[in-house]
Amino acid sequence: MILGLAAGICTTAAVVPQLWKAWKTKKVSDVSPGMFFVLILGLAMWTIYGFIENDLPIILTNGTALVLNSLMLYLLFKYE
Amino acid sequence: MILGLAAGICTTAAVVPQLWKAWKTKKVSDVSPGMFFVLILGLAMWTIYGFIENDLPIILTNGTALVLNSLMLYLLFKYE
């Protein structure tokens, strides 16, 4: 269904503006590392859940979000 | 399944440390409003999708995340 696809693209890509901002400004002191820790933990569990349930949309959306948010956590530690 | 539940709790509650940090420091200049715009759009679509599909877990997790992230967007504009 098209609505679920659009919803998945938005929630997966949401971190991109934050990644871009951190990359450009090199400033991350107001961003919470705790948010990205908990998010990455949740996304990793979703991805494993997707493999167990053999659900490709769950694997793809959460796997992509996992990579993007891990990159954001890396920038957080790099610039902090 | 317990893994899906734990995953859902993590991805839903992830914004709480960011909310707490913004509330305590009153500083949000490194946080991207774009991230929360796209996230809220996606979460709103997921919630509508949940209603259409009559899927209570999708409604509850995304509905809760929608409220929490809207609060974060409000703080972003309040403190910016």
Side-chain angles (χ1 to χ4, degrees):
Chain A
M1 195 195 184
I2 195 79
L3 185 66
L5 187 69
I9 290 171
C10 283
T11 47
T12 302
V15 72
V16 173
Q18 178 65 74
L19 265 173
W20 183 249
K21 184 164 191 168
W23 174 264
K24 272 201 10 185
T25 63
K26 319 272 183 244
K27 283 164 74 180
V28 293
S29 43
D30 305 336
V31 182
S32 162
M35 173 170 178
F36 289 93
F37 267 127
V38 178
L39 197 53
I40 284 166
L41 183 68
L43 291 168
M45 286 194 283
W46 273 130
T47 308
I48 295 165
Y49 179 84
F51 277 108
I52 292 170
E53 299 283 316
N54 239 320
D55 189 319
L56 195 63
I58 287 188
I59 297 169
L60 289 181
T61 51
N62 290 285
T64 308
L66 183 60
V67 173
L68 293 173
N69 283 283
S70 300
L71 197 60
M72 184 57 215
L73 191 65
Y74 167 74
L75 291 187
L76 266 169
F77 283 103
K78 191 178 172 193
Y79 297 141
E80 187 70 355
Chain B
M1 193 195 184
I2 196 78
L3 185 67
L5 187 68
I9 289 171
C10 283
T11 47
T12 302
V15 71
V16 172
Q18 178 66 74
L19 265 173
W20 183 250
K21 185 165 191 168
W23 174 265
K24 272 202 9 186
T25 63
K26 320 273 183 241
K27 284 163 73 181
V28 292
S29 44
D30 305 335
V31 182
S32 163
M35 172 171 180
F36 290 93
F37 266 126
V38 178
L39 197 53
I40 284 165
L41 184 67
L43 291 168
M45 285 194 284
W46 271 130
T47 308
I48 295 165
Y49 179 84
F51 277 110
I52 292 170
E53 299 284 317
N54 239 320
D55 189 320
L56 195 62
I58 288 188
I59 296 171
L60 288 182
T61 51
N62 290 285
T64 307
L66 182 61
V67 172
L68 293 173
N69 283 283
S70 300
L71 197 61
M72 184 58 215
L73 191 64
Y74 166 73
L75 291 187
L76 266 170
F77 283 103
K78 192 179 170 192
Y79 297 141
E80 187 69 356

